[in-house]
């Protein structure tokens, strides 16, 4: 009899306690993947391209667009950006120069540029006003990129430190939960003259999952409550002035950390049979 009680309790837990913090049953494999490619080193840091992929099948990112943030691991600063901008440009008091970094905040937030941005401030897949199509409807317009020059940071793949505590916000109901950054195989690159292939110094990915039960925080700070992948090959325009990214990602299966104990037909049948057998045992 004790066995029956334990079995029934376990099966009920699968029906009752599902993970809704970062799971969308209508698109279980959809996600936002954020890929960072470290392209080259600088005297005090590195140059990287951050690419956002909307791998959701039918959920678009509408205006006013996406909003990406993270926390620096140490005391990194942002010298300059192309294809995007920081929402808050904190003054850099520790730099006594006429040309200080663009941002020294520990928790930078980034937004896309508008399509009318000057040409010398654009790179491939940028400047869409933060609007992204769904991968299942228009994959070519489901990608957004910006280039960033980081200072006070490592200069090799052994000393560069990945940011942490990634956040991704988008307009509309629901919200996103982002996992930790994970180092993956370096992206293949081609020089601007298209004559030489090489790999990025370092590449890491972050996966963010949608949930209808999370809130969206807009740029004013108010919250509206709502009711790893293998690189492939995709042609792209030049990432001026550094290089062209030839690798892209493909939608990845739902990570185990975001999986849900959802009841299936076979589990339901097993549950009913177990209850019936336990009832017979109690009668006997």
């Amino acid at each position: 009899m004790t066995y029956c009680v334990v079995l029934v309790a376990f099966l009920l837990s699968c029906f009752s306690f599902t993970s809704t913090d970062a799971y969308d049953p209508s698109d279980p494999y959809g996600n936002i993947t954020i890929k960072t490619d470290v392209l080259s080193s600088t005297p005090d840091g590195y140059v990287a391209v951050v690419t956002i992929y909307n791998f959701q099948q039918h959920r678009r990112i509408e205006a006013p667009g996406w909003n990406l943030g993270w926390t620096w691991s140490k005391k990194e600063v942002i010298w300059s950006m192309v294809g995007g901008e920081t929402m808050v440009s904190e003054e850099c008091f520790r730099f006594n120069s006429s040309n200080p970094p663009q941002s020294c905040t520990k928790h930078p937030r980034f937004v896309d540029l508008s399509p009318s941005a000057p040409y010398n401030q654009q790179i491939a897949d940028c400047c869409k006003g933060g609007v992204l199509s769904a991968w299942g409807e228009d994959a070519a317009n489901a990608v957004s990129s910006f280039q960033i020059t980081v200072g006070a940071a490592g200069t090799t793949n052994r000393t560069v430190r990945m940011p942490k505590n990634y956040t991704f916000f988008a307009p509309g109901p629901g919200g996103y939960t982002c996992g930790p950054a994970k180092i993956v195989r370096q992206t293949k690159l081609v020089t601007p003259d298209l004559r030489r292939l090489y790999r990025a110094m370092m590449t890491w990915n972050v996966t963010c999952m949608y949930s209808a039960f999370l809130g969206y925080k807009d740029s004013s700070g108010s919250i509206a409550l709502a009711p790893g992948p293998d690189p492939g090959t995709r042609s792209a325009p030049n990432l001026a002035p550094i290089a062209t990214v030839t690798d892209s990602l493909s939608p990845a299966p739902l990570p185990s950390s975001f999986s849900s104990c959802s009841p299936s037909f076979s589990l339901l049948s097993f549950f009913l049979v177990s209850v019936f057998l336990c009832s017979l045992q109690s009668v006997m």
Side-chain angles (χ1 to χ4, degrees):
M1 185 63 183
T2 302
Y3 165 78
C4 292
V5 173
V6 173
L7 178 61
V8 171
F10 169 76
L11 292 174
L12 283 175
S13 67
C14 286
F15 287 93
S16 303
F17 303 102
T18 58
S19 176
T20 58
D21 288 342
Y23 177 73
D24 181 8
S26 65
D27 187 13
Y29 299 109
N31 66 76
I32 298 291
T33 295
I34 303 161
K35 182 178 74 165
T36 300
D37 292 307
V38 178
L39 303 182
S40 61
S41 62
T42 63
D44 72 331
Y46 58 88
V47 176
V49 168
V50 179
T51 305
I52 301 171
Y53 297 87
N54 181 14
F55 283 144
Q56 299 174 107
Q57 292 302 302
H58 305 290
R59 183 172 291 104
R60 293 167 47 88
I61 306 299
E62 303 286 357
W66 53 262
N67 178 319
L68 173 66
W70 63 58
T71 300
W72 290 118
S73 294
K74 294 188 176 180
K75 295 183 178 180
E76 292 89 339
V77 299
I78 300 171
W79 282 109
S80 63
M81 289 186 64
V82 181
E85 61 183 349
T86 55
M87 295 182 63
V88 178
S89 296
E90 185 178 283
E91 294 187 17
C92 302
F93 297 105
R94 70 178 190 266
F95 289 86
N96 298 320
S97 66
S98 58
N99 186 28
Q102 180 175 329
S103 175
C104 294
T105 179
K106 181 75 171 178
H107 311 282
R109 300 209 61 80
F110 308 93
V111 292
D112 196 9
L113 295 181
S114 68
S116 61
Y119 183 76
N120 62 358
Q121 291 296 313
Q122 299 186 24
I123 65 169
D125 294 320
C126 86
C127 311
K128 304 174 183 178
V131 175
L132 292 176
S133 299
W135 189 267
E137 299 173 354
D138 184 5
N141 290 309
V143 183
S144 183
S145 298
F146 61 87
Q147 183 173 293
I148 185 172
T149 302
V150 181
T155 58
T156 69
N157 57 1
R158 292 188 177 184
T159 58
V160 170
R161 295 291 181 264
M162 297 182 295
K164 53 189 178 181
N165 301 330
Y166 277 74
T167 57
F168 183 86
F169 295 112
Y176 294 85
T177 299
C178 299
K182 295 182 179 180
I183 296 176
V184 297
R185 187 177 65 175
Q186 299 100 315
T187 301
K188 290 184 295 184
L189 307 170
V190 60
T191 55
D193 59 8
L194 305 179
R195 300 182 62 180
R196 186 171 64 90
L197 289 172
Y198 66 103
R199 287 193 176 274
M201 288 175 48
M202 188 176 181
T203 300
W204 61 81
N205 287 345
V206 172
T207 301
C208 303
M209 305 298 296
Y210 174 83
S211 172
F213 297 93
L214 296 177
Y216 163 67
K217 180 183 292 184
D218 60 22
S219 58
S220 66
S222 61
I223 298 178
L225 296 179
D230 291 326
T233 300
R234 180 177 65 87
S235 60
N238 286 342
L239 284 175
I242 303 298
T244 298
V245 176
T246 60
D247 280 3
S248 68
L249 301 175
S250 299
L254 185 67
S256 58
S257 58
F258 294 109
S259 63
S260 172
C261 183
S262 301
S264 63
F265 178 76
S266 58
L267 183 60
L268 179 61
S269 300
F270 182 61
F271 171 74
L272 294 176
V273 171
S274 300
V275 171
F276 176 72
L277 293 177
C278 289
S279 300
L280 288 180
Q281 183 178 359
S282 63
V283 172
M284 295 176 61

